[in-house]
Amino acid sequence: MKKAIIALSALFLAACSAPSDPQLDIKPVASSNAHQIVENIKLTLDSSDLRTAQYVAVIDNGRQNVQPIHAKQNLRVTLEDALSTQLKNQGFIVTVDSDNTLRLDIIEALVSVQHSLMSNEIKTQVKLQITAETPRGKFVKTYNGVSEKSGSMSADNQDIEQVLNDLLNAVLDKIAVDEELQTYIKGNF
């Protein structure tokens, strides 16, 4: 009986120390093209994650084995932080009590990976929506990003992280240099 308890205890401890599911390190950064467009205009930044599933990657190895992978960080918070830095570089003061609001909605952020031992194909889609709202009106625009990459050998987590981070950065760059959004903000904030 003692041997059975010891064996079960060892098995339980081994299960507790087993590695957890892999997660991706997603770290988008503010656009380097974010130049000053206003001077000390206050706005409130808000964000929401409208994705139906919270994973950021799906890996299909071709053997009817599909594995979802989540981000280490909260994607909404990470993107909001990058956009906040970007807005500050553009001359805004991000505060909690402004009549001017800018909302970031994450509609899609997903990497689809199909790979085998000898090849991989990575397809990435990002869709973010920006809503600029003042007491005088509202401006809504969707920013899309799509990328495809293929290579030899199987894809690893670093490849997937790089592809998603690069695409998120490209979409943030589109937001930073969007003349329609800048015109609306300059005229209404």
Side-chain angles (χ1 to χ4, degrees):
M1 182 71 169
K2 282 185 178 182
K3 288 183 182 180
I5 292 174
I6 292 173
L8 284 174
S9 297
L11 184 62
F12 178 73
L13 289 174
C16 289
S17 66
S20 61
D21 289 338
Q23 292 182 326
L24 300 177
D25 195 17
I26 307 302
K27 295 181 181 178
V29 294
S31 172
S32 59
N33 291 326
H35 61 281
Q36 186 166 347
I37 58 171
V38 297
E39 191 169 325
N40 297 328
I41 292 183
K42 290 184 178 183
L43 67 79
T44 299
L45 180 61
D46 190 17
S47 64
S48 60
D49 190 345
L50 304 177
R51 297 175 300 148
T52 55
Q54 297 304 303
Y55 50 81
V56 293
V58 177
I59 299 178
D60 182 355
N61 66 8
R63 291 175 281 191
Q64 299 177 346
N65 183 14
V66 178
Q67 177 188 13
I69 300 180
H70 294 269
K72 290 179 184 176
Q73 305 84 353
N74 182 315
L75 185 61
R76 182 194 61 79
V77 172
T78 304
L79 276 169
E80 184 179 316
D81 289 346
L83 184 58
S84 178
T85 301
Q86 187 166 302
L87 291 167
K88 290 173 185 173
N89 292 342
Q90 291 179 306
F92 291 98
I93 297 172
V94 179
T95 182
V96 294
D97 61 351
S98 175
D99 289 337
N100 304 319
T101 60
L102 197 70
R103 189 177 73 239
L104 167 69
D105 294 322
I106 304 168
I107 298 170
E108 187 174 15
L110 183 65
V111 181
S112 298
V113 181
Q114 290 200 336
H115 72 119
S116 64
L117 291 174
M118 300 307 291
S119 66
N120 70 66
E121 188 172 316
I122 303 173
K123 294 181 181 179
T124 311
Q125 293 184 323
V126 169
K127 185 183 286 188
L128 304 178
Q129 181 174 286
I130 295 289
T131 304
E133 192 168 1
T134 70
R136 290 174 266 164
K138 183 189 290 190
F139 174 86
V140 180
K141 188 165 183 182
T142 303
Y143 300 87
N144 296 303
V146 177
S147 74
E148 292 186 22
K149 179 182 176 183
S150 59
S152 59
M153 307 306 282
S154 64
D156 62 11
N157 284 355
Q158 289 77 21
D159 295 330
I160 299 167
E161 289 170 355
Q162 181 180 357
V163 169
L164 184 55
N165 282 322
D166 289 348
L167 191 56
L168 288 169
N169 292 339
V171 174
L172 285 172
D173 196 44
K174 286 181 185 180
I175 295 169
V177 298
D178 182 18
E179 291 182 13
E180 281 183 294
L181 179 60
Q182 289 180 9
T183 300
Y184 182 83
I185 287 173
K186 288 177 188 176
N188 295 288
F189 276 29

